[in-house]
Amino acid sequence: MAKFVKNLGIVVLVLLVLTAIGITATVGWRPFIGSKSRALTDRKFAATPERLKRGTYLAEHVSGCTDCHTLFKNGPNGQENVAEMKGAGQLFPIPGFPGRLVAANITPDRETGIGNWTDDELARAIREGIGRDGQTLFPLMPYSHFRHMSDEDLASVVVYLRALTPIRNPLPASYVHFPVKYLIRGVPEPVTTVVQADLSTAVSRGSYLVEIAVCSECHTPIKQGRPEEALKFAGGQVFYEPSGKITSANITQDATGIGGYTEETFLKAMRTGYVGKRQLNTLMPWQFYSGQTDEDLKDIYAYLKTLPAISHHVDNSKPGTMCKKCGTVHGGGDAN
């Protein structure tokens, strides 16, 4: 009997060790112990005219704050924002989402928005993915990209949010089903050092803008809930609209991407939504990005020119077919 108990103990110990190794090598321990999070501070961002101007530019033309957090309506070329509901939040009806996803009201309404949030609560949510209640934000809110936003640009965005017209718009809370609600706990990372942007060259400035504009988030296919790094910027992520499925384009320098674009072609596409005679769907929010300066758009183009060329044919004008390269069904998929 003693020998049996001893052997059983060894088996249990081995199973525990193997389980610990397995957890460490796969999902990690964050789903069990909670997200990384820093203590809040009492820092405040002075509301200067320069910050308000910069924050308006970033939120409305670069980082997409008012694009995601404003109610959509169907327009002639796809979904468009309802201007009078700017920043008031909306439900995100994503097919197959494990729960309910809500883009919160980010206007300074005290009852339904951010009117009672401190500056550091906003800063932590934007760059670190931790909500006011200490819970992990679902990473469709692209805080893993925004963590690269400079401290000054972060301050400018917060000043902008404070200046929005308060809109009372009660929305239900987001919730995520098990096990995803625990798996996302591994995404947040505290920002505890000074963050500055490298603005020394056109390429570095473009790289910064592409990061905080979250371009790779849409233009990279998703596999098993994660971006496919081997196809970064090569398109293939599928989105759903009332009109049907839309797949993001390849924006690498391959012939199947934007390798044939000139700087003029790129600027015209971002300004007008047209590539030649082809009109872009507004799921690609060119109307939002069109407010960027020529200098910033040229810097973005300079950075995109440095991306490795990846052959990945995506054509939304064709029927959806299986793509062996990205593993999804999209227009022109069988050409890969």
Side-chain angles (χ1 to χ4, degrees):
M1 183 67 180
K3 184 176 181 180
F4 171 77
V5 172
K6 180 180 178 181
N7 289 339
L8 180 61
I10 293 173
V11 170
V12 171
L13 181 60
V14 169
L15 289 174
L16 288 173
V17 171
L18 290 175
T19 299
I21 293 172
I23 290 173
T24 302
T26 54
V27 299
W29 290 96
R30 284 296 158 191
F32 305 96
I33 63 177
S35 302
K36 292 181 182 178
S37 178
R38 64 170 175 82
L40 290 165
T41 70
D42 60 357
R43 64 173 168 170
K44 294 182 180 179
F45 303 122
T48 65
E50 293 77 17
R51 279 180 170 169
L52 179 57
K53 181 179 179 180
R54 176 65 174 171
T56 301
Y57 180 73
L58 291 171
E60 297 191 358
H61 303 298
V62 180
S63 295
C65 307
T66 52
D67 189 49
C68 283
H69 289 270
T70 301
L71 185 67
F72 292 136
K73 66 178 180 180
N74 290 326
N77 301 306
Q79 292 185 330
E80 299 175 354
N81 291 132
V82 179
E84 58 269 25
M85 295 296 288
K86 181 189 288 187
Q90 64 169 324
L91 295 172
F92 264 97
I94 300 178
F97 183 77
R100 178 176 62 211
L101 192 58
V102 180
N105 184 343
I106 55 172
T107 74
D109 179 70
R110 289 189 174 276
E111 292 184 17
T112 65
I114 59 161
N116 293 320
W117 288 50
T118 68
D119 284 1
D120 200 41
E121 284 173 339
L122 287 169
R124 192 175 67 169
I126 293 168
R127 287 202 308 195
E128 302 165 49
I130 302 296
R132 192 185 191 204
D133 58 1
Q135 298 299 305
T136 304
L137 301 182
F138 191 79
L140 187 66
M141 163 63 183
Y143 47 86
S144 60
H145 294 271
F146 292 161
R147 66 178 287 101
H148 302 284
M149 185 180 288
S150 72
D151 290 351
E152 182 55 33
D153 279 350
L154 174 67
S156 297
V157 169
V158 172
V159 167
Y160 165 80
L161 296 178
R162 298 284 192 214
L164 283 172
T165 300
I167 299 174
R168 189 178 187 280
N169 185 32
L171 292 166
S174 292
Y175 67 84
V176 184
H177 294 312
F178 174 89
V180 179
K181 68 178 293 184
Y182 295 104
L183 295 176
I184 63 174
R185 289 178 175 179
V187 182
E189 290 286 342
V191 177
T192 57
T193 58
V194 173
V195 181
Q196 293 180 320
D198 179 3
L199 306 178
S200 60
T201 68
V203 171
S204 66
R205 291 191 298 272
S207 175
Y208 175 68
L209 289 167
V210 165
E211 186 68 52
I212 64 172
V214 203
C215 301
S216 66
E217 193 82 4
C218 288
H219 289 277
T220 303
I222 300 295
K223 285 188 178 180
Q224 297 179 339
R226 295 183 179 183
E228 179 57 46
E229 288 298 314
L231 293 173
K232 191 173 183 179
F233 293 107
Q237 187 173 161
V238 177
F239 298 88
Y240 295 86
E241 282 200 321
S243 59
K245 293 196 302 185
I246 302 293
T247 306
S248 62
N250 183 346
I251 58 172
T252 74
Q253 292 302 299
D254 190 72
T256 59
I258 63 170
Y261 280 34
T262 64
E263 182 180 80
E264 181 182 2
T265 306
F266 179 75
L267 264 67
K268 184 177 180 180
M270 299 295 280
R271 287 266 184 261
T272 69
Y274 278 91
V275 179
K277 294 183 178 181
R278 178 172 62 88
Q279 188 170 17
L280 301 178
N281 188 284
T282 50
L283 184 67
M284 163 57 191
W286 58 267
Q287 293 169 312
F288 166 80
Y289 292 130
S290 67
Q292 292 187 29
T293 65
D294 284 349
E295 292 75 14
D296 280 352
L297 288 176
K298 288 177 180 179
D299 289 345
I300 289 173
Y301 177 75
Y303 171 71
L304 294 179
K305 290 286 286 184
T306 70
L307 294 178
I310 301 174
S311 177
H312 188 211
H313 186 79
V314 179
D315 187 345
N316 284 303
S317 69
K318 295 181 178 180
T321 50
M322 175 55 70
C323 174
K324 294 180 180 179
K325 181 158 286 188
C326 70
T328 60
V329 174
H330 62 73
D334 55 0
N336 294 300

